[in-house]
């Protein structure tokens, strides 16, 4: 029995309303609406959302005081009403790192960086990782796979002074000591034997050192967690690896050789279906169990072993539930394809992509 008690409730709804819950929130672009957001970041001073379907990033400076609050800044579009790929093509991961704004511009196969937090609409980035310059938008820099190119880099993380990229299409995780400049060779490559191949599960099947779709990263100085969404699992490395090596933890599967998925049946507290997001704060580990329309919370972050159960669930009434909005209406506490997540102190921000919103929960543990 878990001795840590959780009180959780949705504190803020960003995006359009869903009157009566019978239709999805509107998605056409303005200062309020979101369309299938896939990434979110929150701290004491700022909220950032990857408004992926509208191919833009929205920024709220200071804590939004009300639901459906209008954003202050738009990036990637000339104004709040314009849509379509321009600077971004399906932006996903977003975060502020050492005062810089990082955006994973996934379908342009690059990361974009602003040296300071943007204060004007459509402010251009200061530099790019994964391409020669801002005109570059091809997978792997327009050539073969290499250590310095990306293919669908869906997310990234800065953990204990290591910068990691989930290079999803190349089925690997790249890691650098410190924040890298473009063209710098990674200090570690996980999931592949070298920087010039990108086989699914290393071409050998699911194992302790393989990925299908590495999609998100989290961790602390003790453990690096990788959301291997395509294999329906989370891998953990304790301590974080400085060379390619096997993982010591697997969540979502009974052992390291399985990638089991069975849709439309109760999943319980141990299984995932396409876990696209992961976040950690202190000893809390949160997993976006995307296709099961829920967030699983582990109040004691697992470090080693296999198939550990989650302690709590958000978005479903219990661990048996897995329906989109519980097969009912859009409500404040329901979820539909939650994607990126972010933990900051006692807040859990969720890019609730199927509901065209970001929902921020308050978590209180006793």
């Amino acid at each position: 029995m878990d001795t840590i008690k959780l009180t959780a409730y949705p504190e803020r709804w960003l995006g359009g309303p869903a009157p009566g819950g019978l239709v999805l929130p509107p998605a056409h672009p303005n200062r309020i609406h979101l369309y299938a957001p896939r990434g979110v970041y929150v701290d004491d001073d700022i909220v950032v959302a990857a408004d992926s379907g509208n191919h833009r990033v929205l920024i709220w400076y200071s804590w939004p005081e009300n639901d459906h609050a209008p954003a202050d800044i738009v990036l990637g579009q000339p104004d709040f009403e314009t849509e379509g790929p321009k600077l971004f093509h399906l932006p996903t991961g977003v975060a502020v790192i050492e005062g810089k704004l990082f955006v994973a511009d996934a379908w342009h196969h690059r990361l974009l960086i602003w040296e300071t937090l943007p204060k004007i609409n459509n402010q251009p980035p200061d530099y790019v990782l994964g391409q020669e310059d801002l005109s570059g938008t091809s997978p792997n820099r327009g050539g073969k796979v290499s250590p310095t190119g990306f293919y669908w880099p869906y997310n990234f993380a800065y953990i204990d002074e290591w910068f990691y990229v989930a290079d999803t299409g190349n089925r690997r995780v790249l890691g650098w000591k410190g924040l890298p400049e473009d063209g710098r060779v990674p200090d570690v490559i996980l999931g592949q034997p070298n920087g010039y191949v990108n086989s699914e599960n290393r071409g050998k099947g699911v194992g302790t050192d393989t990925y299908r779709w590495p999609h998100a990263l989290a961790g602390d100085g003790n453990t690096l967690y990788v959301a291997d969404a395509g294999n329906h699992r989370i891998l953990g490395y304790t301590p974080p690896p400085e060379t390619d090596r096997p993982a010591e933890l697997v969540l979502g599967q009974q052992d390291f050789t399985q990638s089991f998925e069975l849709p439309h049946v109760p999943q319980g507290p141990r299984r995932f279906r396409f876990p696209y997001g992961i976040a950690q704060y202190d000893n809390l580990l949160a997993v976006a169990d995307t296709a099961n329309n829920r967030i699983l919370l582990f109040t004691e972050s697992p470090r080693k072993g296999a198939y550990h159960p989650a302690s709590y669930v958000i978005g479903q009434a219990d661990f048996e539930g897995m329906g989109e909005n519980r097969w009912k209406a859009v409500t404040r506490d329901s979820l539909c394809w939650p994607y990126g997540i972010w933990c900051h102190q006692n807040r859990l921000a969720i890019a609730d992509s199927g509901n065209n919103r970001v929902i921020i929960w308050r978590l209180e543990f006793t």
Side-chain angles (χ1 to χ4, degrees):
M1 180 71 66
D2 200 301
T3 58
I4 299 176
K5 302 302 180 184
L6 170 66
T7 301
Y9 58 91
E11 183 179 19
R12 192 66 73 243
W13 175 333
L14 298 178
L22 300 179
V23 294
L24 290 179
H28 61 273
N30 60 24
R31 290 184 63 189
I32 295 173
H33 297 164
L34 297 166
Y35 181 20
R38 292 193 175 188
V40 62
Y41 170 88
V42 61
D43 63 23
D44 292 335
D45 303 311
I46 193 171
V47 177
V48 184
D51 186 11
S52 308
N54 285 320
H55 306 283
R56 64 183 188 171
V57 169
L58 297 182
I59 299 175
W60 291 258
Y61 282 108
S62 74
W63 174 248
E65 292 297 329
N66 301 294
D67 287 348
H68 321 300
D72 298 305
I73 295 291
V74 61
L75 301 177
Q77 302 290 356
D79 53 54
F80 284 101
E81 289 73 39
T82 304
E83 60 186 328
K86 295 178 182 65
L87 175 67
F88 301 124
H89 192 179
L90 203 75
T92 47
V94 290
V96 176
I97 301 171
E98 295 188 349
K100 309 174 194 290
L101 175 64
F102 284 68
V103 178
D105 186 16
W107 281 28
H108 281 155
H109 314 286
R110 64 189 185 181
L111 271 59
L112 300 179
I113 299 96
W114 284 255
E115 283 283 356
T116 57
L117 297 180
K119 299 298 185 181
I120 60 173
N121 290 337
N122 206 27
Q123 183 172 325
D126 294 295
Y127 61 98
V128 60
L129 296 178
Q131 303 285 358
E132 294 299 321
D133 52 43
L134 285 175
S135 67
T137 59
S138 298
N140 294 314
R141 297 178 180 261
K144 296 180 179 179
V145 59
S146 74
T148 60
F150 301 139
Y151 187 5
W152 292 333
Y154 275 107
N155 220 317
F156 57 87
Y158 191 52
I159 303 166
D160 198 33
E161 300 186 351
W162 276 75
F163 185 75
Y164 299 96
V165 173
D167 188 12
T168 307
N170 284 324
R171 308 175 197 280
R172 65 187 184 180
V173 170
L174 308 178
W176 292 264
K177 296 178 182 177
L179 296 176
E181 64 282 354
D182 185 56
R184 179 180 153 196
V185 174
D187 294 295
V188 64
I189 298 175
L190 303 175
Q192 301 292 348
N194 58 59
Y196 301 93
V197 294
N198 60 0
S199 299
E200 180 177 310
N201 290 314
R202 293 187 186 236
K204 67 178 185 179
V206 182
T208 58
D209 58 355
T210 74
Y211 306 128
R212 186 179 177 212
W213 302 334
H215 227 277
L217 306 136
D220 52 23
N222 298 313
T223 304
L224 171 67
Y225 298 95
V226 179
D228 183 17
N231 284 324
H232 311 288
R233 66 183 187 173
I234 305 296
L235 293 182
Y237 302 81
T238 303
E242 297 192 10
T243 60
D244 182 37
R245 64 173 173 80
E248 290 83 18
L249 170 74
V250 62
L251 301 175
Q253 301 291 341
Q254 292 184 359
D255 60 48
F256 289 97
T257 65
Q258 296 190 38
S259 58
F260 176 85
E261 183 213 8
L262 184 61
H264 311 307
V265 298
Q267 302 290 310
R270 301 174 188 268
R271 289 212 176 271
F272 310 131
R273 292 181 56 235
F274 298 104
Y276 282 131
I278 188 168
Q280 187 185 30
Y281 191 84
D282 288 339
N283 207 28
L284 173 71
L285 183 69
V287 176
D289 187 11
T290 303
N292 286 322
N293 304 290
R294 63 185 187 174
I295 307 296
L296 295 182
L297 301 178
F298 299 79
T299 54
E300 297 290 335
S301 294
R303 306 291 178 174
K304 296 184 178 181
Y307 211 46
H308 298 284
S311 309
Y312 293 99
V313 61
I314 284 175
Q316 302 290 348
D318 52 40
F319 287 115
E320 303 305 298
M322 42 71 187
E324 297 175 0
N325 294 312
R326 304 191 192 106
W327 303 129
K328 296 179 181 179
V330 181
T331 63
R332 290 182 68 85
D333 63 351
S334 69
L335 293 172
C336 181
W337 285 78
Y339 212 95
I341 57 176
W342 189 272
C343 286
H344 177 68
Q345 296 178 355
N346 59 344
R347 285 179 172 139
L348 172 66
I350 304 168
D352 188 13
S353 65
N355 284 326
N356 296 331
R357 66 183 180 180
V358 164
I359 197 85
I360 304 174
W361 283 66
R362 171 79 66 166
L363 307 180
E364 296 178 355
F365 293 97
T366 56

